[in-house]
Amino acid sequence: MQTTLLVEDAQFFEKAIVKKLHEVGRHQIMVARSYAEAESCLDLPIGNPDLALVDLTLPDAPDGEIVDLCSKRNIPTIVFTSRFDPRTRSKMLGKGVIDYVLKDSPGSLNYVADLIRKLAQNPKIGILVIDDIHVEREAISQIVSKHLYKVYQASSTDEALTCLKEHKDIKLVLADYFMPEKDGFAFLKTVRRSHNPEQVGVIGMSSFANPENRVRFLKYGAADFVDKNCSPEELLLRISQNLDYIYRIEELNNLAMRDFLTGLYNRRYLLDEVARQVKSWPAPKTGRNWLALLDLDSFKGINDRFGHDFGDAVLTSFARQLMKLAGEEDIVARLGGDEFCILFRGRTEDMVVKSLAGLLESVQSSPVRHGGDEYLAKTSIGLAPLVDGNLGEALKAADLRLYAAKRTGRGQLVSAG
């Protein structure tokens, strides 16, 4: 569990900060109101916290000594203080604190909370730094790593493209403009052929103030452009803002291809994205690919008898069962109403039939309970092979078999065999 050391001697700020930490999912908090208490917390056998949030002016340590204590224990530290002193701020940043935030407005506490939330996610985010000069590349990488990102380095455009291809976690690239042979423009033009701005953001960097270069970089598809001599705080803020943009777009795309009620993929995703993908799927090493259409029997009667809230409960319960049935590479979608679809990859017909038979048994023996009511649902299933990546034909064949399953008494599976 993530543990936070909060060092704060003002009771008002302590309560406000603890509340914010809980809001961002940090529930295990060690609170100290002095240097001595903080030292005692760190000597506990539970181990060091993974993050410290500290004030600089403490009763027994008025000059920021708490930062040295956290640094000695290798604890990433955020300074949150009322002390506005440029020299002290510069000194603390020089000691490697993650950030130096002033308690000068309600927004500052929100900023700290958002920063802490992001720090929990950042180790999964790759950032690529491209610069042909080793010293500058290292300096930029050290700044970026302060916010716990996974940092990759490349000294040339070709090396960067290879790195981007090998590491799918890279979401943002910091690209130097001036490089021998192929410059930042060459990299940008090449990468935009395979990655759109919503997948991989690019921030151009240069030591030379040239407005024309900035404009060209932005026109070629860069998300931003910064001077290399900008402050570390500005660089980290620009990185954070550009990543926020990428994730907002991802969230919107995800909402567009997901069913709101069940969280499964929706019809649009299946008929557009999946229909395109399956055409390039390699032949399975074993078995073949299959498409199953599933329809809850007499679902309209459930809504009429128990109401739509109960109907929604039946649908979400069924969706969970389908997700348990599916493998990592399989695709589960809700096509609309009470109709669902599963794409099974690399299975024999016997394997798929056995899995679906188990689903029929599970559904028919697991009543849905909601609001004091109970209902035992049934489902009919039509199964067809996915031949030559033709999703449309597989849907038609599975639909005919689903109809046959309904005719034979419902709660049945009709397969290709």
Side-chain angles (χ1 to χ4, degrees):
M1 180 182 289
Q2 296 174 326
T3 305
T4 307
L5 171 65
L6 172 61
V7 187
E8 175 59 67
D9 64 323
Q11 191 174 19
F12 169 78
F13 278 114
E14 177 196 318
K15 290 181 177 179
I17 294 168
V18 167
K19 182 180 178 183
K20 279 292 181 184
L21 289 173
H22 286 162
E23 287 176 5
V24 296
R26 288 206 164 243
H27 300 290
Q28 188 161 309
I29 305 168
M30 298 189 296
V31 178
R33 298 175 180 85
S34 66
Y35 183 99
E37 286 186 16
E39 202 167 27
S40 297
C41 286
L42 295 179
D43 288 336
L44 292 172
I46 62 174
N48 281 342
D50 65 296
L51 181 68
L53 182 60
V54 306
D55 189 13
L56 291 182
T57 307
L58 301 171
D60 55 349
D63 294 316
E65 295 89 346
I66 187 65
V67 171
D68 296 320
L69 175 63
C70 293
S71 177
K72 188 164 61 176
R73 302 292 185 105
N74 295 315
I75 304 169
T77 303
I78 299 171
V79 171
F80 190 44
T81 181
S82 302
R83 189 167 164 182
F84 180 68
D85 177 355
R87 293 180 65 182
T88 301
R89 175 178 172 278
S90 179
K91 180 181 176 182
M92 293 301 136
L93 289 172
K95 290 184 177 183
V97 300
I98 292 174
D99 210 338
Y100 187 102
V101 186
L102 291 174
K103 301 172 183 173
D104 59 354
S105 72
S108 61
L109 184 54
N110 291 332
Y111 171 82
V112 169
D114 189 51
L115 174 60
I116 291 173
R117 178 183 59 79
K118 289 176 179 177
L119 289 173
Q121 302 169 348
N122 288 353
K124 302 175 185 177
I125 301 172
I127 294 183
L128 173 61
V129 179
I130 311 171
D131 199 308
D132 61 304
I133 300 175
H134 176 76
V135 174
E136 295 194 6
R137 191 169 67 245
E138 280 293 329
I140 295 167
S141 297
Q142 285 183 15
I143 293 170
V144 175
S145 63
K146 283 175 64 175
H147 277 201
L148 310 183
Y149 297 107
K150 189 186 296 185
V151 183
Y152 301 94
Q153 295 187 23
S155 59
S156 67
T157 290
D158 290 342
E159 187 180 342
L161 291 170
T162 300
C163 186
L164 196 59
K165 186 176 181 179
E166 292 176 350
H167 301 284
K168 303 301 182 184
D169 57 347
I170 295 175
K171 292 292 183 181
L172 195 64
V173 180
L174 307 181
D176 184 23
Y177 164 62
F178 288 106
M179 289 188 292
E181 298 178 5
K182 299 177 182 178
D183 61 14
F185 287 127
F187 167 79
L188 192 53
K189 287 190 287 187
T190 303
V191 82
R192 281 294 167 253
R193 296 189 190 111
S194 55
H195 298 80
N196 64 46
E198 289 76 31
Q199 294 173 315
V200 177
V202 178
I203 299 178
M205 302 188 73
S206 177
S207 301
F208 303 95
N210 187 328
E212 185 179 335
N213 289 340
R214 291 173 179 268
V215 172
R216 287 181 64 200
F217 235 79
L218 294 171
K219 283 185 175 180
Y220 280 131
D224 207 345
F225 196 101
V226 298
D227 293 321
K228 281 187 180 179
N229 58 1
C230 73
S231 70
E233 288 172 293
E234 179 183 351
L235 178 59
L236 288 168
L237 281 169
R238 287 178 181 268
I239 288 172
S240 179
Q241 289 169 355
N242 279 281
L243 287 171
D244 281 346
Y245 166 77
I246 291 172
Y247 287 120
R248 283 194 195 101
I249 297 299
E250 281 188 359
E251 184 179 3
L252 289 172
N253 287 336
N254 191 50
L255 287 172
M257 65 185 184
R258 292 281 182 178
D259 173 56
F260 179 77
L261 176 65
T262 63
L264 301 179
Y265 288 117
N266 58 22
R267 175 184 290 272
R268 175 183 173 186
Y269 179 77
L270 184 75
L271 299 183
D272 292 348
E273 185 64 22
V274 176
R276 181 185 59 79
Q277 289 179 12
V278 296
K279 293 177 182 178
S280 59
W281 280 359
K285 294 180 180 179
T286 57
R288 61 198 305 188
N289 300 322
W290 298 87
L291 186 146
L293 277 184
L294 307 96
D295 190 304
L296 288 168
D297 296 329
S298 304
F299 183 71
K300 185 178 182 301
I302 298 174
N303 281 332
D304 292 343
R305 179 180 173 186
F306 299 105
H308 288 280
D309 284 347
F310 191 93
D312 287 349
V314 171
L315 292 171
T316 53
S317 173
F318 188 60
R320 286 194 295 269
Q321 289 179 295
L322 296 185
M323 287 302 297
K324 288 180 183 178
L325 182 69
E328 287 186 8
E329 292 189 327
D330 300 338
I331 297 172
V332 184
R334 180 187 177 199
L335 300 184
D338 60 331
E339 191 173 21
F340 295 80
C341 170
I342 306 180
L343 271 172
F344 295 99
R345 298 190 63 178
R347 314 272 186 94
T348 64
E349 184 172 2
D350 286 344
M351 293 168 63
V352 176
V353 168
K354 184 177 180 180
S355 293
L356 292 173
L359 174 70
L360 287 174
E361 183 179 345
S362 175
V363 170
Q364 294 176 23
S365 61
S366 305
V368 178
R369 298 178 177 89
H370 180 76
D373 292 316
E374 180 178 303
Y375 185 82
L376 196 60
K378 286 187 177 183
T379 182
S380 298
I381 308 173
L383 178 67
L386 181 63
V387 181
D388 297 329
N390 194 323
L391 184 68
E393 289 302 315
L395 281 167
K396 289 178 184 178
D399 191 48
L400 289 173
R401 288 166 187 152
L402 172 62
Y403 182 68
K406 296 268 186 192
R407 285 203 323 266
T408 55
R410 307 192 177 192
Q412 305 290 322
L413 164 65
V414 174
S415 67

